[in-house]
Amino acid sequence: MEDIKQSIKNLQNITRCFGNFEKLDLKKAEGLLEFEKLVKSLPSGEIIGKSLDEWRITAGVAIDKNMAARRENFGRFVAEFIRAQREAKTTVREFNNAWRVGSVEMQLRAEQASAQFTYNNEVLFKWFPIASGESLSKQFAEVKKQLEDAALPLEKLIDVFWAAYEFLKWKRVQRNDPNPHVVPAQDFYREVRVALARSSFDAKQPAKDLPKWAFLYNLDRYLSSSGQILQNKRIGTQAGSQHEVSSGKGIIINGLDANQDYKTICHIIA
């Protein structure tokens, strides 16, 4: 990175003549004269332009050199991170340009030496450059905490999910929709957010936002605990047709365990 730092210094030297304009105080009587002096001392546009063109070339060389080094180390950094997770007994599973690591998926772009973390294909942390295996582990730890902080108590999930499902089923009955007990999953997500806000308001607590990844995480937690939920308040899931899935009506579940395959469902039932 020393060549990058030097490039920045070189640019500062080229543009130093413009910095004096920021120090001008035109409220002073001599301000106008100082301004005139600075304008006359400016190098010609041809000189500045040539300097910037030359700087752009050298900066580009430095960028290419550092990006090549980062790409060269990319595989090693990822391998260090995966090895550390295996030593920590975290379940890991490799895919094409991705790893599932516990409850999180790490997607990779080798050509940019970058990664992003997702849950059930919903972004938890957007693309960021991988500087080392240690920095990757640190970001992973923060993402795991992000998931843990989004976890709602099972009792609240039972109440909120059931309230959302019952309301949507009632609406479908009122509209004479076929199979009113089969609720679209996307509608269910939206209604869960409403039910959660209503529950927080009734309890006189701050409303908790529920981004898509947090909803899917809590839905997976709910489904994994279905054996603890009474039958008369238990919801389940139903797959959709290929057309429904291709139309964007599905949601992905099964993100808790890297050994489980993702599953797309389109409906909530009871």
Side-chain angles (χ1 to χ4, degrees), residues 73-89:
N73 292 321
F74 175 76
R76 178 168 60 85
F77 293 155
V78 172
E80 288 176 4
F81 167 71
I82 293 300
R83 183 168 56 251
Q85 295 308 311
R86 282 178 169 150
E87 291 173 355
K89 307 301 181 185

Side-chain angles (χ1 to χ4, degrees), residues 12-266:
Q12 291 171 341
N13 289 333
I14 294 171
T15 58
R16 183 171 295 161
C17 58
F18 299 109
N20 293 324
F21 287 91
E22 298 177 3
K23 303 174 184 178
L24 273 177
D25 187 355
L26 294 177
K27 293 180 180 179
K28 294 182 177 179
E30 62 272 18
L32 184 58
L33 295 176
E34 290 178 0
F35 178 66
E36 181 186 25
K37 182 179 178 181
L38 288 174
V39 170
K40 290 181 177 180
S41 67
L42 282 175
S44 69
E46 182 180 347
I47 293 175
I48 294 176
K50 182 179 180 181
S51 298
L52 285 175
D53 286 341
E54 292 173 350
W55 176 86
R56 187 181 292 109
I57 293 172
T58 57
V61 170
I63 291 169
D64 291 343
K65 176 183 173 183
N66 282 271
M67 284 302 299
R70 181 170 289 180
R71 284 192 294 269
E72 184 178 345
N73 292 321
F74 175 76
R76 178 168 60 85
F77 293 155
V78 172
E80 288 176 4
F81 167 71
I82 293 300
R83 183 168 56 251
Q85 295 308 311
R86 282 178 169 150
E87 291 173 355
K89 307 301 181 185
T90 304
T91 303
V92 297
R93 188 176 172 193
E94 186 175 9
F95 294 85
N96 185 31
N97 295 322
W99 286 83
R100 285 185 66 182
V101 188
S103 298
V104 173
E105 179 169 318
M106 179 177 66
Q107 299 174 350
L108 304 172
R109 286 179 177 168
E111 70 281 1
Q112 297 177 5
S114 61
Q116 77 170 358
F117 289 112
T118 66
Y119 184 85
N120 288 3
N121 283 351
E122 293 294 326
V123 175
L124 288 165
F125 195 86
K126 292 183 179 180
W127 294 103
F128 62 96
I130 297 178
S132 66
E134 183 180 354
S135 66
L136 195 53
S137 294
K138 181 179 178 181
Q139 188 59 61
F140 175 69
E142 292 180 7
V143 166
K144 281 205 307 181
K145 186 177 186 305
Q146 187 177 336
L147 278 178
E148 292 164 1
D149 290 346
L152 296 172
L154 181 58
E155 297 77 12
K156 173 162 277 193
L157 285 179
I158 293 171
D159 292 340
V160 168
F161 281 8
W162 187 252
Y165 172 77
E166 283 286 275
F167 177 75
L168 290 172
K169 185 176 74 171
W170 174 82
K171 283 182 66 176
R172 290 174 62 79
V173 168
Q174 300 304 306
R175 296 195 302 257
N176 291 319
D177 289 343
N179 300 318
H181 67 289
V182 181
V183 170
Q186 297 286 0
D187 291 351
F188 180 69
Y189 166 52
R190 287 188 287 269
E191 190 57 37
V192 163
R193 296 182 73 181
V194 174
L196 181 61
R198 186 181 299 116
S199 173
S200 299
F201 179 79
D202 291 343
K204 297 182 179 180
Q205 297 174 343
K208 191 168 185 176
D209 189 26
L210 196 70
K212 190 72 168 287
W213 61 263
F215 163 71
L216 296 175
Y217 177 62
N218 280 289
L219 178 59
D220 279 341
R221 292 178 58 246
Y222 175 97
L223 295 172
S224 69
S225 305
S226 59
Q228 305 174 38
I229 303 171
L230 295 176
Q231 183 67 43
N232 64 344
K233 291 191 74 174
R234 186 190 306 166
I235 63 168
T237 63
Q238 186 179 85
S241 66
Q242 187 173 1
H243 175 70
E244 287 175 315
V245 173
S246 63
S247 299
K249 296 181 179 179
I251 60 174
I252 296 175
I253 61 173
N254 282 358
L256 289 180
D257 185 352
N259 283 326
Q260 285 191 334
D261 292 333
Y262 289 138
K263 179 181 177 183
T264 300
I265 58 104
C266 292

